Amino acid sequence: MNKPWQAFYPTGVPHEIAPAQYSIYQFLSNAAEQHPNKIAVKENYHETTYAELKRAVNKFAAALYENGFKKGDMFAIMLPNCLEYVISFYAVQRLGGTVVQVNPMYQQRELDYILEDSGATWLICNEFQKPKLKHIEHVICIFADGANEDKQTLYTWINKAENSPPSILVEVENDIAILQYTGGTTGRSKGVMITHQNVVCNISQNMITSSDLNSWERVIGIAPMFHAMGLTIMNTTVYNGGTYYPIKRFELDSLVETIKDFQPTIFSGSPTMFIALLNHPDVNSETLNSIKIFGSGSAPLSLEVMKAFEEKSATPIIESYGLSEATTMTHKNPTDQRKVGSIGIPVPSTDAQIVDMETGTKRLPIGEIGELIIKGPQIMKGYWRNKNETEKALRNGWLYTGDLAYMDEDGFFYISGRKKDMIIAGGYNIYPMEIEEVLYKLPAVKEVCVYGIPDSYRGETVKAAIVLKDGMKLNESEIVNWCNENLARYKVPRVIEFKTELPKTAVGKILRTKLIEMETSKL
């Protein structure tokens, strides 16, 4: 099959990679052997070397084993980005267990669903979260609460462990390393089963297409590790022997100070983070001059935001594409041959096609919009305990992403929106991203989300929710006039609502479905 994108691989990058034959824990083991005294994790003013990190991981793994942890056990991590997250993650991988990713901001209903669905019997969290966890057999806290020493704490277990953890045979192709729950932006969360081979192959795909990375990278961990993107950033840093700086939550002023102090070389974030940095008065090319790579993922980045940010930072943003069902990454822009607005080209050992939206079986010609489907070693094993959804998503070895896209003559791919986001108004197919791009060209617009709302005559009609930049004004008539000048009439928003903020996921992706739910609740 013709793969025109392979002509754009940098010199020396292979078209295919060998299947992974080792577990995720080997990332840490290799780094500790090669860089024992290198700083692995820097958190505020506390530094942990790779040798120290491996020692803590092995001691915690030994303690878990001594307390009954078995290969295949489900271990939920409900923590913000922190050193303890890294220790817990690799300890579970060392024992052949499965890490269940849990957002620490979940409320009781959301938490109950994840824990019941996964069947997790182990969980680590902050002390204040314990009241939510009445049905978990083993609850471990990071620290004891005040003077009341709790023997079920991470560091108590590490300090008391005397033996080495046992040797565990991990079947890298079949054993589930991570149960990554989908963000719920398109419906109820599903547990994505990610194997050791999925992760190791995906990290390898990222590294071999990033020839300018080395073991001295300083990486800002702003994307939450309980999200696929954030976990991949952490794993890639350890794989590469770099220094990871975990940030517990996205607070703009604090982030800017951390960048000034830590002088990171790599920053990967969501479009929302780039918008926030772009509008911060203290951020300029001097503030960001240590960063040699900006990576954008989790959602499409507006061209207008990208251009404005690159002008301010004097450093290009490299867009990529991925999803939880594909570990993280499937497409990436070559650093020296990127196409602005594109998600790039498939990484080695990855195939991609655009197919018709009705049957998903007809391959579409160059430039035509259809559903993006992907095949590669990073594609999930399936959805946990959900055969029906697995069969919908995985067909004949292909992952059906639900994203609308097209491919150009060079094999670069462009996202047009989500299949479920498409608005059908008066018989016309309308893609929200196209309208959002037009609205982002207005200088006063900070954030925007376009979606369809019920209309008795047209079926659906276009609504735009808009957040304005501080101190700037814009009225409905100005927006409509602008859209009329730049869009076909049927695409122009019929309803406009100004908001102070838009609902988002933990990683900063705007929740279009939440806005739609808020709209339907009014009916």
Side-chain angles (χ1 to χ4, degrees), residues 60 118 123 136 152 176 208 259 264-265 301 303 308 323 325 344 367 385 391 401 447 453 470 484 497 509:
F60 188 42
S118 66
L123 185 142
I136 294 291
Q152 300 289 91
I176 305 168
I208 63 177
I259 291 172
T265 59
L301 180 64
L303 287 177
L323 61 168
E325 288 85 347
R385 296 176 176 173
E391 289 176 348
T401 66
E447 292 180 334
I453 59 174
D470 292 343
N484 279 327
E497 182 178 1
K509 185 187 296 185

Side-chain angles (χ1 to χ4, degrees), residues 26-94:
Q26 202 64 38
F27 294 168
L28 175 60
S29 183
N30 290 346
E33 181 178 344
Q34 296 166 14
H35 314 284
N37 299 317
K38 176 92 188 304
I39 302 302
V41 180
K42 178 181 172 68
E43 190 170 12
N44 296 323
Y45 297 102
H46 179 73
E47 298 179 338
T48 303
T49 67
Y50 273 103
E52 292 167 339
L53 178 59
K54 182 182 178 182
R55 190 179 306 117
V57 165
N58 286 342
K59 279 184 166 289
F60 188 42
L64 287 172
Y65 181 78
E66 290 166 6
N67 282 273
F69 188 95
K70 304 181 300 298
K71 179 186 175 183
D73 278 1
M74 293 285 177
F75 187 107
I77 301 181
M78 189 168 70
L79 295 172
N81 289 3
C82 57
L83 171 63
E84 292 77 19
Y85 202 122
V86 181
I87 293 172
S88 303
F89 177 82
Y90 283 112
V92 174
Q93 303 306 325
R94 173 67 176 79

Side-chain angles (χ1 to χ4, degrees), residues 419-435:
K419 191 175 179 180
K420 293 182 179 179
D421 291 342
M422 187 174 69
I423 303 166
I424 303 177
Y428 292 103
N429 291 347
I430 301 171
Y431 304 109
M433 275 186 59
E434 180 187 5
I435 303 170

